[in-house]
Amino acid sequence: MASLHPILQADNVQKTFGAVRALNAVSFAVERGEIRALCGENGAGKSTLVKLLTGVHRPDSGEILVDGKPRHYRSPRDSQADGIAFVSQELSIVPHLSILDNIWLGHRGVPFLYRRQMLRRKAVEALKVVGLDTLPLNTMAGTLALGERQLLEIARMFARDARVFLLDEPTATLSDGEIIRVFDALRRLRQSGRSIIFITHRLAEVFDICDTVTVLRNGSLVTHAKVADMDREQLVELMLGRPLGQMYPSAAGSSGGTVLEIEGLRIPGHVANLTFEARAGQVVCLSGQIGSGAGEAVRAIAGLVYDVQGTVRVRGKRLPAGSVASALGANVRFVSEDRARDGIFLTLPVRTNLVATQLDQVGRAGLVSRRAISERSRAVCERVGIDPARLDSRADELSGGNQQKIAVGRSLTDQAFGVLLMNEPTRGVDVGARAEIYALMRRVCEQGYCIVMMSTDIEEVAGMADVVITLYRGQQVGCYSRPDISRSRILADITHTAAARGAA
């Protein structure tokens, strides 16, 4: 007989941190065999709710229930015993261990001599659910593609009898082909009666894979609804509390002269022969799946790849290959897809981050002026749309969208022209902040820059790009300008699918 209670439930939970109320009387439930999206801007309360459901934090009031029975978790170990599994955006796979070792690593139920036939059989069953059953169990996890590691992470939780999977941005770093494999695995989990809580900033995925959606805003519950009963615009409005308006701002009526010329760019093992140009005021997007060479090409233009061949010209002047100094001298600036690693200084104040790349503007003879730092940082704040009241805050205290604004702001100069290179410009950024980033990119173009970006988000590519260059396994496939840019055509090129091309 089916249970009358949801498998996992939060009833009227509340949580505060100091003076900040992170959750305000929120109720939430997920049924057996359901994929439920959990949506909201950064700061909406999603992470806090997940930490309550998994035992990281305890609610100040209200309760967590499993199968209708109250639970008082003291640690994540308690929630894991109830079959609740959390898969973080930062995967915990150990690359130097085998698939089998990764599946059972850290599981309390495994004896010291654990290589028993039963555990091997159970591992194979879990791998079959996620579509990795063709891989030998002794395969080193470090040899797997990113998408396969994500699937392995899900398989290890399935092998441990998880009943509820909480997935935080599971597709953020995956190619379109890998996303399809992950979605296929999630559907098989749903068919087996497992429940999935799916957290994503890519709203198209909510409509692709989820049955229901819960929306939080400012720590409060906004709605529970069936995905089939709403459209994207309604979901965005529920998340923001206001109409979004136009997500992708219109380009300027006409572009200026040629700023960047790329001819015969080659990177051994990554890019075969890439040729294109970018004009002032344009957004040019290199579109391809992970492994297509698009990201490496953008880094090469910035001078960050040393075994590159071909010609890079800025305003007609050729730049030496693999020279960061020459690129900076030509006002070519790069914004990384990994803000935490090489985009900003997370533990330093916003003020310091904004002027760190512009010390020549705030000092003389090796000495910096506090007044100049203050004036410069405030000017950059105004330019990129950061609240000046946050200048003394540490960068890691800001949302992903504001961190990305820091990364862009510190890259801009006062020169009348320039090249801004961006890899995955809105990775980890919520829907409201995405619209702000897109508007900022257009303002940068209006100042005389051209932008060359790489993105694996096809919707973003089609919405922002004035010119799209498609790549597949290092080869340039197509080049499209508005109004000939379409999602179906881009998808056909980057997946090299003849049938999709015919449909386009």
Side-chain angles (χ1 to χ4, degrees):
M1 180 177 176
S3 172
L4 299 177
H5 301 286
I7 189 171
L8 178 62
Q9 185 177 0
D11 183 23
N12 212 35
V13 293
Q14 188 160 298
K15 185 66 180 178
T16 58
F17 298 96
V20 178
R21 178 165 292 180
L23 284 179
N24 182 25
V26 169
S27 294
F28 173 88
V30 61
E31 304 288 346
R32 289 161 185 79
E34 176 186 16
I35 302 180
R36 176 173 287 270
L38 180 58
C39 293
E41 292 188 273
N42 289 332
K46 302 188 302 296
S47 295
T48 302
L49 178 59
V50 167
K51 288 175 181 177
L52 295 184
L53 295 173
T54 55
V56 176
H57 295 317
R58 300 181 69 177
D60 298 332
S61 61
E63 57 186 358
I64 305 299
L65 303 96
V66 176
D67 297 323
K69 299 177 181 178
R71 290 289 189 267
H72 304 285
Y73 296 141
R74 291 174 294 180
S75 73
R77 179 177 294 182
D78 295 336
S79 67
Q80 291 167 12
D82 274 339
I84 301 170
F86 176 64
V87 179
S88 171
Q89 185 176 346
E90 304 297 331
L91 300 182
S92 60
I93 297 300
V94 181
H96 300 298
L97 294 181
S98 68
I99 287 177
L100 179 63
D101 289 337
N102 269 285
I103 286 179
W104 297 115
L105 181 66
H107 185 38
R108 291 185 301 165
V110 177
F112 180 73
L113 299 174
Y114 72 93
R115 291 185 181 274
R116 296 184 300 174
Q117 190 63 30
M118 181 189 71
L119 295 180
R120 294 179 65 88
R121 186 178 67 251
K122 198 167 184 179
V124 170
E125 291 172 356
L127 292 172
K128 186 175 183 179
V129 170
V130 300
L132 294 181
D133 51 311
T134 59
L135 296 176
L137 291 177
N138 61 356
T139 303
M140 289 292 112
T143 65
L144 303 179
L146 265 177
E148 291 174 325
R149 295 187 196 189
Q150 181 76 68
L151 292 169
L152 177 57
E153 189 86 66
I154 296 172
R156 73 191 297 191
M157 300 305 174
F158 184 89
R160 299 176 190 195
D161 299 320
R163 300 187 296 155
V164 181
F165 294 76
L166 292 93
L167 307 181
D168 183 17
E169 296 281 354
T171 64
T173 59
L174 304 186
S175 67
D176 293 301
E178 290 170 328
I179 290 172
I180 290 172
R181 294 185 66 182
V182 170
F183 282 5
D184 287 343
L186 298 186
R187 292 185 180 100
R188 287 191 290 270
L189 287 174
R190 177 173 57 189
Q191 290 171 359
S192 70
R194 269 63 173 185
S195 304
I196 298 157
I197 299 172
F198 190 87
I199 304 170
T200 183
H201 289 312
R202 295 181 172 184
L203 298 189
E205 295 180 350
V206 173
F207 295 91
D208 286 342
I209 190 66
C210 297
D211 306 304
T212 53
V213 58
T214 293
V215 178
L216 300 180
R217 186 172 69 242
N218 298 327
S220 297
L221 174 67
V222 177
T223 190
H224 299 300
K226 292 182 178 179
V227 170
D229 292 341
M230 68 170 60
D231 57 28
R232 177 191 171 93
E233 288 72 23
Q234 291 172 319
L235 178 56
V236 170
E237 187 168 343
L238 288 169
M239 291 169 62
L240 299 181
R242 64 183 188 279
L244 179 61
Q246 188 176 14
M247 171 72 83
Y248 302 104
S250 301
S254 60
S255 54
T258 300
V259 176
L260 176 69
E261 297 172 87
I262 306 298
E263 185 176 347
L265 187 74
R266 297 181 299 281
I267 306 172
H270 295 287
V271 179
N273 187 13
L274 179 62
T275 298
F276 70 92
E277 68 175 36
R279 305 174 73 85
Q282 277 188 334
V283 176
V284 176
C285 183
L286 305 186
S287 180
Q289 299 187 80
I290 294 172
S292 66
E296 289 81 0
V298 174
R299 298 183 72 90
I301 298 169
L304 294 167
V305 178
Y306 303 108
D307 56 345
V308 61
Q309 301 173 347
T311 303
V312 177
R313 291 189 180 90
V314 176
R315 303 275 286 195
K317 181 180 179 181
R318 181 168 181 168
L319 302 185
S323 173
V324 174
S326 296
L328 292 175
N331 205 26
V332 177
R333 306 294 164 135
F334 174 68
V335 177
S336 171
E337 68 274 28
D338 191 337
R339 294 186 296 271
R341 185 187 67 187
D342 47 21
I344 60 178
F345 301 114
L346 288 173
T347 60
L348 294 182
V350 173
R351 185 189 311 276
T352 305
N353 269 282
L354 291 175
V355 300
T357 57
Q358 304 178 30
L359 295 179
D360 59 325
Q361 301 293 316
V362 296
R364 183 177 298 176
L367 298 175
V368 297
S369 163
R370 289 188 178 182
R371 179 178 177 181
I373 289 176
S374 178
E375 292 175 352
R376 185 72 182 178
S377 59
R378 285 183 173 274
V380 177
C381 278
E382 183 177 349
R383 191 174 186 181
V384 299
I386 298 175
D387 184 356
R390 305 302 300 271
L391 279 171
D392 293 321
S393 301
R394 285 183 14 159
D396 58 6
E397 297 174 355
L398 272 62
S399 67
N402 278 324
Q403 289 180 5
Q404 188 71 346
K405 291 178 184 179
I406 293 174
V408 174
R410 62 186 289 175
S411 301
L412 301 178
T413 68
D414 294 330
Q415 294 187 43
F417 70 90
V419 179
L420 184 61
L421 308 170
M422 307 180 75
N423 275 351
E424 301 286 10
T426 60
R427 175 176 290 173
V429 175
D430 66 53
V431 62
R434 280 185 176 221
E436 295 175 4
I437 296 296
Y438 297 146
L440 172 59
M441 291 168 66
R442 281 299 177 193
R443 291 200 301 272
V444 170
C445 287
E446 291 169 2
Q447 295 167 10
Y449 279 74
C450 67
I451 292 178
V452 178
M453 61 178 263
M454 182 281 291
S455 176
T456 54
D457 186 335
I458 295 179
E459 181 179 310
E460 177 174 83
V461 173
M464 276 301 296
D466 301 308
V467 177
V468 176
I469 312 293
T470 53
L471 293 95
Y472 177 78
R473 294 184 178 178
Q475 297 283 347
Q476 184 171 339
V477 180
C479 177
Y480 309 104
S481 300
R482 292 197 180 279
D484 298 324
I485 297 172
S486 71
R487 294 172 61 182
S488 58
R489 180 171 286 158
I490 295 168
L491 181 61
D493 282 1
I494 68 176
T495 58
H496 215 61
T497 307
R501 279 206 193 94

